[in-house]
Amino acid sequence: MNLSGPGVQITIPININGANVVITSHPSRRLSEVLREELGLRGTKSGCNSGDCGACTVLVDGEAICACLTPVIQAQSCSVVTVEGLSAGDGNNLSEAPLSALQASMLRHGAAQCGICTPGMLMAARALLDKYPAPTKLQVEDGLSGVLCRCTGYHKIIAAVLDVGANRPAPPPPRAGVAVGARIERLDGLKKIDGSEVFGADYWPVDALIVRAIRSPHARAGFKFGDLEKWLYSNKGIEAVVTAADIKGENRFGVIPAFADQPALAEIKTRFRGEAVALVVGDAQVIEALDLEEFPIEWSKTKALQSVEEALASVCSPVHSGIENNILLEGKVVRGDAKTALANADHIACLNFETTFVEHAYIEPEAGCAWMDGDVVVIQACTQAPIMDRDATADILGLKHEQVRIIPAATGGGFGSKLDISLQPLLGLATLKTGKPCRMVYTREESMASTTKRHPARMSGRIGCDETGKIVGMEFEGDFNTGAYASWGPTVSGRVPVHASGPYLTPNYHATARAIHTNAPPSGAFRGFGVPQAAIVQEILYDALAAKSGLDRLKFRQLNSLVDGDKTICGQKLHGVGIGQCLDALEKRWIEAQEIAASFNSQSQTLKKGVGIASCWYGCGNTAIANPSTIRLGITRAGKLYIHQGAVDIGQGSNTVILQICADALGIGIDKFEIIGPDTAITPDCGKTSGSRQTYVTGKAAELAGIALRKKILRMSNMAEDAEILLEAGSLIIRDANSSHVTSSHVIGLSELEPGENGYVISAEETYDPPTTPLDENGQGVPYAVYGYGAQIAEIEVDTKLGSVRVTKITAAHDVGRAINPLLCEGQIEGGIAQGLGMALMEEFIPGRTENLHDYLIPTFGDMPEIQSILIEKPDPEGPMGAKGLGEHVLIPTAPAILNAIHDACGARITRLPALPHRVLAAIKTSKAEQ
Ligand code: FES
Ligand code: FES
């Protein structure tokens, strides 16, 4: 019997999670697909289908294997265990099943952030623990090395696996009034570790059609369709082909409406490789088997503008007609007279530096589904910005905004890229055209080719100081390759000049940043909006100036740090400035690390240790424009307390942190709340998850809503401001905080009250918008109401013969204002450092060449250094309970600290990222030649 024919179906007995099942399938179908599609075991994830990410790891006869590379026939008569089988239950009722010790430990340690890698990690860990019940750290790193995580930096995962044996009980929820500051487990963590979390690819309506995109194979090309009707009718099972001609609304989108320039489906030409031109919609099996090479389209390739240099030099063929020299926008900040200050400076340092495209490499490729609910198109997909998705999708579909409903699925990593719409309008178009539910999952290659990247930057900087080491002025220029479409290019060109001074007092300043179009994938938001690139220039120059001034590098930074009352380069007077405290907190390790390096280097010829330092500051929220968040609270007649929380938690922990703030502001225990998560139909707008704004902006709205509800309750009960509020058995009990005497309490029977708006008997809704002001033509004004600060020390080793660099330790001090949840703060720091390390040493996205997780390398367990996190709490007068944002700050200092450490180790001054061995060797050679 030929078992390889396309239509062959055989029966295959397998024991899955302890139950014997018989599967009817093609023998070579991926085990991961059978588990997910046929058996509904969607805890097993798929991040690449190529054996690179490990998200699909399951146990087959006790061995951890990649289910995406395993034909189902290989599991015949085997025992297969998936994440659903890890709990002590039967795998069908996850919420009821007690957690295994391993799962409980992962939850306790905050080892799952977005959670998309977590099932794979758990299965790899299970196999390891079965072999080594008390593994060493090295054994954990080795055993789990086949699974990638882009969020956590791996440390909390390792700690969780090492701690399994301890089997500690979960801490009880904190008492009312002390949630803020508690290291509580993430409130949405259970679903992430039992496999029941629903990511974009994990839900679809019955009989949903599959959508696949036809994409440009060329960076720049014209195209013509052949006979689409004929092709459609000759391919049975295909229900529709969708092109730009089907778009009833405006075929343009962009995260900044004034710059919307990207078609949902290209019309007659494409501007980057991977751009979608058509959709094919149909029956799952037919679409999967389809040979897209046969799709009737004719391409006429034209010369692409590959680099910023080419784009600036091109006058006759701009990427977009009307955009001269391909310069989309220039941002500028000018304060004082930088030129004169630099002319009069005692010491000057200059640098040219280049960075490359960096891919977000979240483990979850874009995925979602759509269906009609009356005349409303409902789209459930991974996202960071549901309201923006709704509005942009409705505009493309030609519908009113309220005729599109976005239900965010759990998002398996975003880091900025999932702020832009991707498949949302494509799903909408397919659903409207067919009238049937549709689903779409990007392949890994499709995700990497078509979604946004970190802007490659070509930057130059000059900084001067006086003879005492005080900074007198700075000039900065940067060209940022924004690719084929605007996306967040305007934001990058605005944010960079506002931040390029670093957290230092710079009296004279002139900085510009331009976003330049090329025929590359659009560059967008990626943890820092261009600031991590600019910080490299400034921090390298600070090292050079410290040397010229004869000052220690840390002391040089302390000398120039901003303090309360200082004015920034935008003329904004600052309060709650914690950079000084961050640098002070690093002093001890700075001295130790240098002593260790000096002693080691005195005895080693080839391997050299180095120590580097760098700082950051970062404004939280949108730059000088409104970005409000609204939180609604309501108590029902039945005594349930709801929070409508529309902020998308992409792993950073906003579901937990915002509730901690709200609970303390209201004065009711966190365990009494039920969360109503983001859904454009039922939750007020909490803005997008970007700009490190959710803890600060939505947290502040939550604080205000909590205070407002508390006031209402106290007014109803006529009790003192500091009264204790209890929600018990359908009643609110308000009692004097200083007495347990019965007469000093008041009871509100909730069932006796009439429900008002939204069905609540008592409710409050508050909106908070950061108090910023527009910037003038010189960038003067108040771009952000709150800033966060940080500084990191990198300790590294350079093999001076091979050019390889190993980071051994990062000590990171970050001023978070108030650590609402220290466990989650540490997780952010560790994850940000991992991404900063990748950017410094290994990550380089090259369109057409590194569009998979095999050729595009991100840090793995073995790449991670020891990390010591130090949380500084210098309260911000504006932030909720003093809190500041943290998400983007944590990545900014890592790359410059590593680059400064490389220079410290061997004199090599890297001028282009990533610092690959051949670049390090070349820089060593240059440094020797200059000596
Ligand atoms: S999905 Fe199997 S290794 Fe990535
Ligand atoms: S938690 Fe590991 S990829 Fe997000």
Side-chain angles (χ1 to χ4, degrees), residues 113-117 149-152 363:
Q113 288 191 17
C114 79
I116 192 78
C117 71
C149 176
R150 190 56 158 168
C151 300
T152 62
I363 304 303

Side-chain angles (χ1 to χ4, degrees), residues 63 70 118 141 214 244 392 403 566 598 713 726 917:
E63 289 293 319
T70 304
T118 308
E141 288 175 354
I214 309 291
Q403 283 179 284
D566 276 349
I713 294 168
L726 303 172

Side-chain angles (χ1 to χ4, degrees), residues 310-328:
E310 277 182 25
L312 288 171
S314 170
V315 283
C316 53
S317 59
V319 177
H320 295 271
S321 60
I323 297 194
E324 215 176 309
N325 295 113
N326 295 298
I327 301 169
L328 170 66

